[in-house]
């Protein structure tokens, strides 16, 4: 069921400052009986957040939760189609679910990742959620990318990689610009997934070779989880030049939350740290890695 074509009806402007917006679908009664029929199909669509800001770099994707809720009196299957204005891309283009008719209503949600390729012009792009004859617009505001000139952090938002990544600690967390140790475990840092097994490695690849001479490594150092107990202890800093990794700095016996390694300026395609030990001998934890050049 629900295979009818999506009608692209014009939407009234929506108040988008709230955390949730919803559009109501109510199909016509199955027959023309006047005033007696209960609505058979009554499904709401929602997006949370209702609008999002993203930066056109590989590690700065955004996401929202797409939700369908059956507020009617009959269980049904529903198909939500998702589309995006080019060049924005989405992690899925359809969301299908069985929607029970229960009281209280039972929303069914799925995460949708939103990406803007590098060099996407700043501006507002539409993501559209459609179902039956209703449509919900999710504005995606593409921001200016951060400056990457001399002295700037050239790792910010670029493609991070790691030997492994623990569930809630994605590789992008170490290059997202968030250095608030109190927010550790909110996807703002990287943690490996091989407890007690070393070495681990974590790095970032540049879109074009960068002239660099400094790596700042912030390891976990919060009030409850100080670097002396949970930070990384021993690592090498390596740069990738002409496809070969070279060690340019070494750190041993660290107990600090921030270590700056400086080295002779070199042109690198990527930078990584190879971690040999942490202070709890279990996990490698990086809050942020910053890379700079003169
Ligand atoms: Ca971070």
């Amino acid at each position: 069921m629900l295979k009818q074509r999506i009608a692209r009806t014009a939407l009234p402007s929506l108040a988008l400052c709230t955390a949730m917006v919803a559009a109501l679908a109510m199909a016509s009664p199955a027959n023309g009986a006047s005033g007696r029929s209960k609505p058979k199909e009554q499904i709401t669509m929602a997006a949370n957040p209702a609008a999002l800001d993203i930066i056109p770099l590989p590690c700065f994707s955004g996401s929202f939760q797409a939700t369908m809720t059956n507020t009617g009196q009959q269980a049904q299957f529903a198909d939500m189609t998702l589309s995006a204005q080019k060049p924005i891309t989405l992690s899925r283009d359809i969301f299908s679910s069985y929607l029970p008719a229960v009281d209280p209503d039972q929303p069914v949600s799925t995460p949708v990742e939103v990406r803007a390729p590098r060099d996407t012009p700043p501006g507002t792009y539409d993501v559209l959620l459609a179902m039956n004859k209703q449509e919900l617009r999710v504005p995606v505001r593409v921001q200016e990318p951060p400056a990457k000139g001399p002295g700037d952090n050239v790792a910010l938002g670029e493609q991070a990689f790691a030997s492994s990544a623990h569930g809630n600690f994605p590789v992008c967390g170490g290059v997202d610009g968030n250095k608030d140790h109190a927010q550790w475990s909110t996807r703002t840092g990287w943690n490996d997934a091989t407890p007690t097994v070393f070495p681990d490695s974590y790095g970032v690849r540049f879109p074009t070779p960068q002239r660099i001479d400094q790596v700042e490594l912030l390891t976990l150092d919060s009030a409850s989880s100080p670097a002396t107990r949970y930070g990384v202890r021993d690592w090498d800093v390596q740069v990738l030049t002409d496809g070969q990794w070279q060690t340019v700095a070494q750190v041993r016996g660290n107990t600090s939350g921030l270590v700056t390694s400086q080295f002779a300026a070199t042109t690198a395609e990527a930078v990584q740290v190879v971690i040999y030990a942490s202070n709890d001998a279990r996990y490698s934890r990086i809050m942020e890695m910053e890379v700079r050049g003169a």
Side-chain angles (χ1 to χ4, degrees), residues 172-179 188-189 286-288:
C172 287
V175 292
D176 67 352
N178 187 330
K179 298 185 275 188
T188 60
I286 293 178
M287 191 71 218
E288 192 79 2

